[in-house]
Amino acid sequence: MDRNLILESKRITLKPIMEASKSEMKAMLLSSEIKKTYMLPEFHDEEELDKYFYRLKSITENINKFVYGIYLKDTLIGFLNEVDKKEDTMEVGYFLDPHFWNKGYASEALARAIQELFRIGIKTVKAAHFEGNVASSRVMQKCGMTLTKEEEYIEYRGVNHRCIYYQIDKDKSLD
């Protein structure tokens, strides 16, 4: 079953990234706060940043990929993406512009994404965060995800990070 290109919830919309959102996305891609917890490449010049923006924009338009810009009205405030897919399990990742942290937008976006993934046939949704990222842990818990025993270590920006996993299973969700 194909994903919907536009997902609406009470306050936000998940949809393909618009050209008009280029400056907002570029600011997030360069944000030192976002780079602490979401793995982004290092950009050496404006051309690399532009290419990355257009790559992300194109992926959000691909019906076969689960990737969205997170919008509050017409303002791009974040990004949610498919990290890995194996059979009927998908891992997702997300980030928000720090100006929009602690307002429930990440929880709302993740909850809507989980709902859509279950609708299109995904049975298990997973997400992970770096150890110490309490806010992301709370987002996952608010969405009904539970801590798993799975963990891994990932080297990012010269630091070995412990990744902690959460998941929710369709047959155990509240929907």
Side-chain angles (χ1 to χ4, degrees), residues 25-145:
M25 178 55 98
K26 287 169 65 172
M28 286 185 278
L29 294 173
L30 295 173
S31 167
S32 60
E33 288 300 307
I34 291 173
K35 288 180 190 177
K36 286 178 187 175
T37 60
Y38 187 91
M39 294 174 61
L40 288 168
E42 198 61 55
F43 301 103
H44 300 97
D45 56 38
E46 196 70 24
E47 184 179 343
E48 280 184 16
L49 190 55
D50 281 344
K51 282 182 184 176
Y52 199 78
F53 167 79
Y54 285 111
R55 183 171 158 256
L56 293 179
K57 181 180 178 303
S58 173
I59 293 170
T60 64
E61 297 164 350
N62 182 342
I63 197 78
N64 297 312
K65 296 289 183 185
F66 197 84
V67 183
Y68 293 92
I70 303 169
Y71 282 84
L72 179 63
K73 297 188 183 348
D74 290 327
T75 302
L76 179 68
I77 64 167
F79 184 72
L80 187 142
N81 65 295
E82 168 183 335
V83 173
D84 190 31
K85 182 174 185 252
K86 291 186 177 112
E87 298 171 18
D88 59 0
T89 298
M90 184 179 291
E91 180 183 345
V92 297
Y94 53 87
F95 65 76
L96 280 187
D97 179 320
H99 296 100
F100 296 93
W101 288 359
N102 300 312
K103 294 176 173 55
Y105 297 126
S107 299
E108 193 171 329
L110 181 58
R112 184 62 185 93
I114 290 169
Q115 183 182 39
E116 178 69 1
L117 286 166
F118 288 164
R119 186 193 69 79
I120 64 172
I122 297 296
K123 302 279 190 258
T124 301
V125 179
K126 295 172 40 172
H129 65 80
F130 289 163
E131 183 175 40
N133 185 348
V134 176
S136 213
S137 174
R138 279 196 306 262
V139 166
M140 294 171 199
Q141 290 171 27
K142 284 180 187 175
C143 292
M145 300 180 95

Side-chain angles (χ1 to χ4, degrees), residues 36-38 128-137 140 147 150-154 159-166:
K36 286 178 187 175
T37 60
Y38 187 91
H129 65 80
F130 289 163
E131 183 175 40
N133 185 348
V134 176
S136 213
S137 174
M140 294 171 199
L147 185 64
E150 182 180 358
E151 65 177 51
E152 69 177 314
Y153 287 84
I154 296 176
V159 177
N160 207 20
H161 295 274
R162 180 175 171 232
C163 292
I164 299 168
Y165 283 83
Y166 284 76

